[in-house]
Amino acid sequence: MKLKNTFWVFMTLYVVACSDDNNPIEEVEEPTAASFQVIGEDANAVYQYDYDGATTSGEVFNLTEELGVLPSYLTLRQVDDFVSFYSFSQGAFSLAQKNLNTGAIAAFPDFYANGPGRSVVWGINTLSNVFFGYFIPSSDRTLAIQDVSLGDLSSQDLTIDFNVNLLFQPILFENKVYITYLDNQGNYKLTLYDTVTKTLGTIVNFNDTPISILIEDSGDLAVIKNGVNATLEIYDADTLAFISASNLSFNTGFSPGPIEGAVLSDNKLFYALPFVQPALFAAGPAIFDLDTQENFVVDFVGIADQLEKETGLTITLTNQVFSSTQNMFFVGYAISDGLGGGGVMQISTAGTLVDNVILPFIPTDFIKD
């Protein structure tokens, strides 16, 4: 998710505590630089950067020249090899898409006019349809979803729930949109929209427990019930039927909705741990082992401090993700010199800095591989 203060971005930071156990997870062999793709920007343009870990070299693409997308775009979404940039101007949404594998592009200028009957919170899309989560302006705060075909711009609306307070960001996975929200009674709820059958799933009510979600490597939906006695629950991705639960022996502080950049794989949660504030950085890489209930927290402050000393730069974090394919944490940052540059740190699961790539722009979104 692009780190901008847009009308459909909701972020909450909780005070969080972590385990004192900092025993790293053992790696079979010495890690080497990994390949990655990242989207970023400077004051004038949006860029794509493809980095080859084998050659430690990269290539920059100017997406403003290719797609016409400006740094003021609202957000971007990824479906397989495609990225979609959403923009809003003079009451209408526009969409620009690129296949990062083939380079093919497509544009849908002003394809959707936002009228007074809908207060749009977010949009997410497949290659053929866009799905808008929105409120119907009324006293009962009705939450609904609109399914818009990019082919003929036909659409259909479905009501999700009534008396809704907040709508969080969605997840799109295998033709299903997973939706989390908070109602006016303080209940956190989860449901899904099937983009093939055009139907809504059951609504799961977690009462007053804030929930965060991500897709497990098996394809099921993982729900973290946040708090002092946090748990991780697994639900069937098609039916939202409960499967299993595990304890999380640390005080979770994830924002409601998707856990951006996190991966649940091999019974381990790879994530960005929010630091107790005030702190130099908002969060840093961590790994929680569900089997041992141990939480390994990377000494990110030490890594960043050493990097700043070696380069003479002062950095501000922009984004963190874990790649299970590359077995690497990627941490994007901006350089605080006023010139609009940044970089990407690669940190291994043992907590070592493997590589650092300086960029002529600020990275904002890593492409999932």
Side-chain angles (χ1 to χ4, degrees):
M1 162 68 64
K2 190 178 185 194
L3 300 182
K4 285 192 169 187
N5 185 22
T6 70
F7 70 98
W8 56 24
V9 177
F10 177 87
M11 297 185 67
T12 305
L13 185 62
Y14 290 86
V15 174
V16 64
C18 62
S19 169
D20 291 330
D21 191 339
N22 276 341
N23 295 321
I25 293 177
E26 294 183 3
E27 293 184 340
V28 176
E29 57 186 26
E30 189 70 20
T32 58
S35 299
F36 65 86
Q37 290 180 300
V38 70
I39 304 296
E41 62 188 56
D42 58 21
N44 302 310
V46 180
Y47 303 94
Q48 168 194 338
Y49 181 75
D50 295 356
Y51 183 74
D52 186 335
T55 62
T56 62
S57 62
E59 184 176 7
V60 177
F61 302 88
N62 189 317
L63 298 182
T64 297
E65 294 179 354
E66 289 184 28
L67 300 175
V69 60
L70 299 174
S72 58
Y73 74 89
L74 292 172
T75 195
L76 70 82
R77 305 292 190 185
Q78 180 186 352
V79 179
D80 299 325
D81 293 329
F82 287 83
V83 289
S84 300
F85 295 85
Y86 289 77
S87 301
F88 186 79
S89 178
Q90 298 181 339
F93 290 99
S94 297
L95 195 62
Q97 295 180 325
K98 180 179 181 179
N99 186 315
L100 299 180
N101 185 36
T102 66
I105 62 174
F108 303 91
D110 300 328
F111 75 97
Y112 178 82
N114 188 34
R118 298 182 182 89
S119 179
V120 175
V121 180
W122 48 248
I124 198 165
N125 62 282
T126 61
L127 296 182
S128 61
N129 291 67
V130 179
F131 315 101
F132 289 107
Y134 69 92
F135 288 106
I136 299 174
S138 62
S139 59
D140 62 2
R141 292 277 288 180
T142 300
L143 175 62
I145 189 168
Q146 184 178 34
D147 185 335
V148 181
S149 169
L150 290 172
D152 58 11
L153 300 185
S154 62
S155 66
Q156 74 169 42
D157 296 77
L158 284 174
T159 297
I160 297 173
D161 206 347
F162 303 94
N163 296 310
V164 175
N165 185 5
L166 294 171
L167 172 63
F168 307 116
Q169 289 295 303
I171 289 179
L172 173 64
F173 178 73
E174 293 190 349
N175 297 313
K176 292 180 178 62
V177 181
Y178 298 94
I179 302 165
T180 53
Y181 58 97
L182 173 68
D183 70 18
N184 285 329
Q185 287 71 49
N187 298 309
Y188 289 86
K189 296 180 177 180
L190 164 70
T191 189
L192 63 81
Y193 173 69
D194 190 314
T195 65
V196 176
T197 63
K198 312 295 185 183
T199 57
L200 289 167
T202 185
I203 294 177
V204 184
N205 189 344
F206 294 88
N207 300 311
D208 61 355
T209 301
I211 60 168
S212 307
I213 61 174
L214 71 158
I215 302 297
E216 190 189 23
D217 59 352
S218 67
D220 288 320
L221 182 70
V223 177
I224 292 181
K225 299 169 69 173
N226 291 288
V228 176
N229 299 312
T231 58
L232 185 148
E233 297 183 346
I234 304 299
Y235 289 79
D236 184 276
D238 295 321
T239 66
L240 295 184
F242 175 82
I243 297 176
S244 64
S246 303
N247 291 326
L248 294 176
S249 60
F250 66 99
N251 298 345
T252 57
F254 300 114
S255 298
I259 307 177
E260 297 294 338
V263 170
L264 181 58
S265 178
D266 295 328
N267 231 24
K268 296 180 180 65
L269 178 65
F270 302 83
Y271 69 104
L273 173 72
F275 294 147
V276 176
Q277 298 299 307
L280 291 175
F281 304 103
I287 306 169
F288 183 78
D289 191 314
L290 291 166
D291 293 325
T292 64
Q293 292 290 298
E294 293 177 338
N295 199 33
F296 168 57
V297 181
V298 171
D299 181 16
F300 180 72
V301 173
I303 291 175
D305 181 65
Q306 185 63 33
L307 178 65
E308 290 183 333
K309 288 180 179 178
E310 292 177 355
T311 62
L313 305 173
T314 301
I315 64 174
T316 302
L317 300 192
T318 59
N319 200 359
Q320 300 182 54
V321 302
F322 180 77
S323 169
S324 55
T325 303
Q326 302 292 335
N327 197 36
M328 194 77 68
F329 287 99
F330 296 115
V331 181
Y333 61 87
I335 298 172
S336 304
D337 58 4
L339 299 180
V344 173
M345 284 182 273
Q346 298 191 25
I347 298 176
S348 73
T349 55
T352 60
L353 179 64
V354 176
D355 194 17
N356 177 55
V357 181
I358 301 296
L359 301 173
F361 58 86
I362 298 173
T364 55
D365 292 87
F366 288 97
I367 301 302
K368 301 179 184 68
D369 51 17

